Amino acid sequence: MDSHLTTKATRWGICSAGCISRDFSHCLKSLPSSEHEIVAVAARDLKRAQSFAKDFGILTAYGSYLELAKDPDVDVVYIGTIHPEHHRVTLLFISHGKNVLVEKPAAMNLKQLKEMTSLAKEKKVFFMEAVWTRFFPLYQRILNEMSNETIGKARVLRLELAIPISNRERIRSKVLGGGALLDMGVYPLNIAVFLFGKPDDISVQGTMMGDTEVDEGACVIFKYNDGRMAQLLYNVTFKGMNEGVIYGTHGLKESPVVPVSHSEYVMDLVDKIKSKTGLRYDVDE
Amino acid sequence: MDSHLTTKATRWGICSAGCISRDFSHCLKSLPSSEHEIVAVAARDLKRAQSFAKDFGILTAYGSYLELAKDPDVDVVYIGTIHPEHHRVTLLFISHGKNVLVEKPAAMNLKQLKEMTSLAKEKKVFFMEAVWTRFFPLYQRILNEMSNETIGKARVLRLELAIPISNRERIRSKVLGGGALLDMGVYPLNIAVFLFGKPDDISVQGTMMGDTEVDEGACVIFKYNDGRMAQLLYNVTFKGMNEGVIYGTHGLKESPVVPVSHSEYVMDLVDKIKSKTGLRYDVDE
C-alpha cells in the first residue's frame, strides 16, 4: 500500500528549548518531512524559543507553554522540560487535547504519573514516556534468547549506570529534581523490569550526597519468587563500567546499559526506593 | 642474622587426607625442609592416611584424629576436613595443646568460632583460619593505593564469585555444610571487610536451591555510615565474571576476586545473612 504517501505528516510541538529538546529535534528532522514535521516550539523565554525555531527551521515560536497548548496545528507535544515540570506541563497539554510524549522520568512519583495517565485516558489522547531504547531491536533479541534459554535458565541480572555528574547544579538541587535516582536509577530499573519483570521483593541501600538533600546513588536488589535476582547499581559520583550482564545456568550474555520503560512499574519502584532511603522531594509531601 | 638456619623446623600434622589437605601439603613441601616439615597425617580411614603419607613422604599415619592430637612431635595441625567438622576437630587439637590452622570457613557460625578462639586463648595456642590470600602483596598494595586516594575517594566496591558447582553432592547437602554462603560467599565477604571494614548496615536477598535445604546464592549490600557501599554477589549455579572493582571518585581499580579474612567479623556476617535468608544448619538450632 502506498497510502502513507498521501497521509498528512504528524505535526509536532516542542515544549522547552533546552538540550534534550535539541537532541530530540535533530532526530525528528532526520526522518522524512512527509512523515514528521515540527510546527512550533515554546519556551518560557520567547527569545530562546525564537533562536531554537531558527536553528531547526520551525515557523512558529511561543514565549509560553499555554500558547503551544492552544495551537490547533499541533497534533502531539514533546516535553523536554526539567522533570519537576513534567506533571504540570503534561496536564496542561493533555487538558487541551494534545497527545504527549514526555521525557523520562515521566513524573516525580507514582501519584503524579497516575494523574497524568488518568487524564490522558479521560481525554482519549496518546501519552507516553520517551524511553527510546525500548524500541531497540537488541532488547527483543535478548528476550528471544532468554525464552529460548540460549544461556540456560536466567538466574541473576547485573546492571549498573554510574556517570560522574554530581558537580552539576541541577543534579545537586532538590528543587530541580536532582540526585541519582531520577537521572541514573531509572535506567537500570527500566531494563530490569523489561527483562525480568516486576520484582516480588526489593532491598536497597542508598547514600545521600554530602551537603545536598539528594542522593548520590544506591545499590538495589530485585528478588523474584522463582529465585531469580537482579543486582542494580547507579551513582553520580564516579564512572562505572556500565555493563549489563545476564547470568544463566549455561553461560552469560552481556549488553550495554540502555533503558526501556514500563513507566508505572518503574515509578512505583522509584517511590519504594525513595521511601527506603529517605529521599523525598517537595511534591512527595 | 643466620640464626634461623639453626632453628628447628616447624613440625606439621595434617588432619584429613582429602583434596584440600593435598593442596596444602604440596605447598608446604615447596618450602625449605629446614623450616617446615610434615611429621604426621591422620584420617578416619587408616588406609587413606597411609596412602597420603606415602605420597608426601610422611613418616607417621594415624587412623584417628585423637592419635594425631596426642602426638608429642606435632607443633601445629592443619585441619582440612569438611567444614561441619571444623569446630569439633579444632577443639580436640587445641584441648591437647596443639596450635591450629583451620581451613575456611573456620566454623559453621559465630557461636562455634567464639568457642574455638576462646579455648585457644585459654590454652595459649596459635589459632588461625587458613585464608591464604590475606597474605598476597596485592592486598597491601590496594590498601596503600586506597589510602593514597589514587582513584579519589572510594565510593563503591563490587565483588562477585560464582562457580557452577551446584551438581556436587557436598554442595547440595545440608548435613555436609553445603550451599553457596560457606563455600563461595565467604570470599567476597572477606575481601569487602578487608578493604572497606565492617559494614554499618547490610541488605541481602538470597535464593534457596530447588530441592535442597541450602542456598544457591545471594546478592548482598554493605552500607557504611560515611556513604560507601559494597555490592556482593555469590552463586553456585552459574559461572560469573568473578571480578572485583573499586569505584573511586577519580577512577576505578580492578582486581581478581581472592579472599582475605577477618574471621569473626566475617562469621558474624555469615550469621546475619543466614538469619535474613532463612538458611539454617543443624548446628545453628
Side-chain angles (χ1 to χ4, degrees):
Chain A
M1 297 222 313
D2 285 341
S3 63
H4 72 279
L5 293 176
T6 56
T7 306
K8 268 179 62 184
T10 300
R11 298 170 304 173
W12 289 86
I14 304 293
C15 171
S16 161
C19 179
I20 190 76
S21 291
R22 288 190 173 267
D23 290 348
F24 180 78
S25 299
H26 274 297
C27 291
L28 210 55
K29 298 289 280 188
S30 74
L31 298 173
S33 60
S34 58
E35 294 180 16
H36 294 279
E37 58 179 327
I38 305 175
V39 297
V41 58
R44 285 170 302 180
D45 175 351
L46 178 59
K47 281 190 184 136
R48 293 192 73 211
Q50 287 168 334
S51 165
F52 190 101
K54 193 178 160 207
D55 291 346
F56 289 96
I58 301 168
L59 292 180
T60 307
Y62 295 118
S64 77
Y65 301 157
L66 181 60
E67 289 170 280
L68 180 62
K70 288 180 171 172
D71 185 333
D73 290 332
V74 169
D75 300 320
V76 54
V77 176
Y78 168 82
I79 297 174
T81 63
I82 56 168
H83 35 268
E85 290 289 300
H86 287 175
H87 173 252
R88 185 182 68 81
V89 176
T90 296
L91 294 181
L92 171 73
F93 288 114
I94 293 179
S95 66
H96 283 81
K98 299 301 185 203
N99 301 293
V100 164
L101 178 65
V102 64
E103 195 45 62
K104 65 93 205 156
M108 293 295 288
N109 53 46
L110 183 58
K111 179 170 168 286
Q112 283 193 342
L113 184 58
K114 282 186 166 169
E115 287 169 13
M116 294 150 79
T117 52
S118 165
L119 187 64
K121 280 175 194 161
E122 185 192 322
K123 293 284 185 178
K124 296 189 168 47
V125 298
F126 174 89
F127 170 61
M128 192 172 83
E129 187 177 21
V131 188
W132 70 321
T133 45
R134 180 75 184 280
F135 300 92
F136 285 8
L138 173 67
Y139 281 94
Q140 196 53 56
R141 166 126 188 249
I142 292 175
L143 287 175
N144 288 344
E145 297 215 11
M146 280 171 63
S147 79
N148 291 339
E149 300 197 352
T150 319
I151 55 165
K153 294 197 182 307
R155 302 312 292 155
V156 173
L157 170 63
R158 174 159 68 73
L159 297 167
E160 71 181 36
L161 185 61
I163 304 176
I165 54 173
S166 57
N167 57 340
R168 292 187 193 168
E169 187 202 351
R170 183 180 65 77
I171 294 296
R172 303 185 74 80
S173 162
K174 184 176 176 178
V175 172
L176 298 176
L181 176 58
L182 294 175
D183 254 70
M184 296 279 144
V186 291
Y187 287 86
L189 291 177
N190 264 303
I191 300 173
V193 169
F194 188 54
L195 295 181
F196 268 30
K198 198 175 183 182
D200 298 301
D201 192 15
I202 64 169
S203 290
V204 58
Q205 293 280 354
T207 297
M208 299 302 274
M209 209 192 300
D211 54 342
T212 72
E213 286 182 283
V214 295
D215 62 322
E216 75 164 59
C219 296
V220 182
I221 309 168
F222 283 7
K223 172 70 188 293
Y224 296 84
N225 286 341
D226 62 4
R228 288 173 304 149
M229 286 186 276
Q231 189 187 39
L232 316 179
L233 164 66
Y234 56 88
N235 203 292
V236 291
T237 64
F238 58 82
K239 180 160 178 7
M241 296 174 79
N242 298 342
E243 301 169 322
V245 188
I246 304 167
Y247 290 122
T249 48
H250 299 160
L252 59 90
K253 182 74 67 183
E254 290 174 69
S255 82
V257 167
V258 281
V260 290
S261 175
H262 295 194
S263 304
E264 286 205 358
Y265 281 174
V266 170
M267 197 50 71
D268 179 43
L269 291 168
V270 162
D271 281 2
K272 282 182 178 146
I273 289 173
K274 285 195 292 192
S275 77
K276 292 199 181 196
T277 56
L279 174 65
R280 291 188 73 72
Y281 295 97
D282 295 339
V283 294
D284 299 329
E285 307 299 335
Chain B
M1 297 227 308
D2 286 341
S3 64
H4 72 280
L5 292 175
T6 56
T7 306
K8 266 180 66 182
T10 300
R11 299 171 303 173
W12 289 86
I14 304 294
C15 171
S16 161
C19 179
I20 190 76
S21 291
R22 287 188 175 269
D23 290 348
F24 180 79
S25 298
H26 274 299
C27 292
L28 210 54
K29 296 289 280 189
S30 74
L31 298 174
S33 60
S34 58
E35 294 180 16
H36 295 279
E37 57 179 327
I38 306 176
V39 297
V41 56
R44 284 171 303 181
D45 175 352
L46 178 60
K47 282 192 182 132
R48 293 193 72 212
Q50 287 169 332
S51 166
F52 190 102
K54 193 179 160 206
D55 290 347
F56 290 95
I58 301 168
L59 291 180
T60 308
Y62 295 119
S64 77
Y65 300 156
L66 181 60
E67 289 168 279
L68 180 61
K70 288 180 170 172
D71 185 333
D73 290 332
V74 169
D75 300 319
V76 53
V77 176
Y78 168 81
I79 298 175
T81 64
I82 57 168
H83 34 269
E85 290 289 301
H86 287 175
H87 174 250
R88 184 181 67 80
V89 176
T90 296
L91 294 181
L92 171 71
F93 288 114
I94 293 179
S95 66
H96 284 79
K98 298 300 183 202
N99 300 293
V100 165
L101 178 66
V102 63
E103 195 43 64
K104 66 90 208 158
M108 294 295 288
N109 54 45
L110 183 59
K111 179 169 168 287
Q112 282 193 344
L113 184 57
K114 282 186 166 169
E115 287 170 12
M116 294 150 79
T117 52
S118 166
L119 187 64
K121 279 175 194 161
E122 184 191 322
K123 294 283 185 179
K124 295 188 168 47
V125 298
F126 173 88
F127 170 61
M128 192 172 83
E129 187 176 20
V131 188
W132 70 322
T133 46
R134 181 76 185 280
F135 300 92
F136 285 8
L138 173 66
Y139 281 93
Q140 196 52 55
R141 166 126 187 248
I142 292 175
L143 287 175
N144 288 344
E145 298 215 10
M146 280 171 65
S147 80
N148 291 339
E149 300 197 351
T150 319
I151 56 166
K153 293 196 183 304
R155 302 313 294 156
V156 173
L157 170 64
R158 174 159 69 70
L159 296 168
E160 70 181 37
L161 185 61
I163 304 176
I165 53 172
S166 58
N167 58 340
R168 292 187 194 168
E169 187 202 352
R170 183 180 65 79
I171 294 295
R172 303 184 75 80
S173 163
K174 186 177 175 178
V175 172
L176 298 177
L181 176 57
L182 294 176
D183 253 71
M184 296 279 144
V186 291
Y187 287 87
L189 291 177
N190 264 304
I191 300 173
V193 170
F194 188 53
L195 295 182
F196 269 30
K198 197 176 182 181
D200 297 302
D201 193 16
I202 66 171
S203 290
V204 59
Q205 293 280 354
T207 296
M208 299 302 274
M209 209 191 300
D211 54 342
T212 71
E213 285 181 282
V214 295
D215 63 323
E216 75 165 59
C219 295
V220 181
I221 309 168
F222 283 6
K223 172 71 188 292
Y224 296 83
N225 286 342
D226 62 5
R228 289 173 305 149
M229 285 186 278
Q231 189 188 38
L232 316 179
L233 164 67
Y234 57 87
N235 203 291
V236 292
T237 65
F238 58 82
K239 179 164 180 1
M241 296 173 79
N242 297 344
E243 299 169 323
V245 188
I246 304 167
Y247 290 122
T249 47
H250 300 159
L252 60 89
K253 182 74 65 183
E254 291 176 67
S255 82
V257 167
V258 280
V260 289
S261 173
H262 295 193
S263 305
E264 285 205 359
Y265 282 173
V266 170
M267 196 50 71
D268 180 43
L269 291 167
V270 162
D271 280 2
K272 283 181 178 145
I273 289 173
K274 286 194 293 190
S275 78
K276 292 199 180 194
T277 55
L279 173 65
R280 291 189 73 71
Y281 295 96
D282 295 338
V283 292
D284 299 329
E285 307 300 336

